[in-house]
Amino acid sequence: MDSERRLFRDLGRAISSHALIADGDRILVAMSGGKDSYGLLVLLRDLQRRAPVRFELVAVHLDQGHPGYDGAPLERWLAAEGVAHHILREDTYSIVTEKIPEGKTYCSLCSRLRRGVLYAAADRLGCNKIALGHHRDDALETLLLNLFFSGKLAAMPPRLVSDDGRHIVIRPLIFCGEADLAELARRRGFPILPCNLCGSQTEAHRKQMKSLIAELEARHPTVRASMLAALQNVVPSHLMDPALATRPEPGAALGEAVLPASELARFLRPA
Ligand code: SF4
């Protein structure tokens, strides 16, 4: 199967298994100008043409005031493709550089500010959902980051209601592989905006998780698929969170072989 068909299949799987899109939705598509955001928009537009439900897409790009920023290639592309779009300008760069001490990574505050701007834009533009371009490999790296460095088991949900209950954030690409999105970007020649204008390096730990997964994959080719399956196959009774403790279902196969009492008695009977 070629990468484009696989992307479309994975997009469809995420949307149907997590009820991401419904009839009448008006979806704000967050366009960072990176390859994943272009892929998200292109795939959703393709779906829009084929799906039995009617939904609207509004592309939104935020100029965050980075020195040297030039969003013109993205604006030209959106106009040429005939995509309804809005370009917002908010100088979050100044806030981030003022608040974060030198040498620390900006990304956490930067993305929280960006999310706030997008939520407000969704309200103004009458959008009930916000689509983000995070893909499978973002979710797997986040899972490992949380596991190794934050002491929690968490990744990225395909669908999340915001804290105030007013917005639904959806991640339609959450089953899509990054390599397929990169291939799509190459084939379609998306005019990608550079993402290093903020001077912030991609988080070092995230890079390490990316390499770790790639190393594992070289020895175990199905490791990404297995990790993704694990995120959809959680066994709370076999974790240690007291808030999740449940009694296992009788006869549930949970991977801990226990001898039936009769067998045990036979083994333990004195010779
Ligand atoms: S890489 Fe730069 S623009 Fe992107 S989230 Fe981090 S600080 Fe913000």
Side-chain angles (χ1 to χ4, degrees):
M1 184 184 293
D2 80 0
S3 58
E4 207 155 326
R5 287 173 61 131
R6 198 162 43 234
L7 283 171
F8 204 70
R9 179 202 64 187
D10 294 341
L11 176 92
R13 219 157 47 84
I15 289 174
S16 62
S17 58
H18 293 277
L20 299 187
I21 296 181
D23 204 37
D25 277 347
R26 184 169 158 84
I27 304 171
L28 183 157
V29 182
M31 291 291 298
S32 66
K35 68 176 188 323
D36 307 329
S37 64
Y38 279 102
L40 174 65
L41 184 60
V42 160
L43 291 167
L44 285 178
R45 291 188 88 206
D46 202 359
L47 180 72
Q48 202 179 27
R49 287 188 278 270
R50 304 193 209 175
V53 294
R54 299 282 125 225
F55 60 93
E56 290 176 69
L57 299 173
V58 183
V60 172
H61 172 68
L62 174 61
D63 166 3
Q64 297 184 262
H66 295 137
Y69 163 86
D70 176 13
L74 170 65
E75 284 195 61
R76 278 197 297 272
W77 183 87
L78 289 167
E81 293 286 320
V83 178
H85 64 276
H86 297 263
I87 308 292
L88 314 176
R89 301 188 206 282
E90 292 285 347
D91 185 5
T92 59
Y93 176 76
S94 299
I95 303 173
V96 167
T97 45
E98 190 191 305
K99 300 265 183 231
I100 305 284
E102 265 207 55
K104 298 269 179 204
T105 316
Y106 301 151
C107 296
S108 166
L109 177 60
C110 176
S111 43
R112 272 186 289 139
L113 290 170
R114 189 168 48 218
R115 189 75 62 88
V117 175
L118 289 177
Y119 282 2
D123 274 345
R124 268 200 322 278
L125 298 168
C127 296
N128 62 325
K129 290 182 181 160
I130 299 170
L132 303 179
H134 296 118
H135 47 68
R136 176 197 64 188
D137 301 283
D138 289 325
L140 301 185
E141 290 155 20
T142 303
L143 173 71
L144 294 187
L145 280 170
N146 281 325
L147 181 64
F148 296 154
F149 303 107
S150 302
K152 66 182 173 191
L153 264 184
M156 285 177 164
R159 177 189 171 98
L160 183 72
V161 179
S162 63
D163 290 345
D164 61 8
R166 291 170 56 198
H167 303 98
I168 297 173
V169 173
I170 58 171
R171 293 186 169 95
L173 301 182
I174 205 70
F175 292 164
C176 296
E178 183 173 15
D180 287 340
L181 288 161
E183 174 66 17
L184 180 72
R186 261 193 306 276
R187 275 202 205 166
R188 303 273 186 113
F190 298 144
I192 291 167
L193 303 188
C195 65
N196 55 356
L197 296 171
C198 54
S200 182
Q201 300 293 311
T202 311
E203 237 185 314
H205 282 158
R206 184 171 286 279
K207 271 192 189 161
Q208 288 170 13
M209 297 306 102
K210 198 180 262 304
S211 312
L212 178 61
I213 296 171
E215 280 167 34
L216 281 171
E217 189 181 36
R219 274 177 282 154
H220 308 287
T222 57
V223 76
R224 286 178 209 262
S226 180
M227 290 174 76
L228 187 65
L231 288 174
Q232 300 162 77
N233 186 25
V234 178
V235 186
S237 61
H238 277 45
L239 297 173
M240 299 184 196
D241 186 338
L244 290 179
T246 55
R247 203 171 291 191
E249 292 293 314
L254 294 172
E256 288 190 8
V258 178
L259 274 182
S262 55
E263 289 284 294
L264 191 61
R266 207 156 55 78
F267 275 99
L268 297 179
R269 199 174 297 144

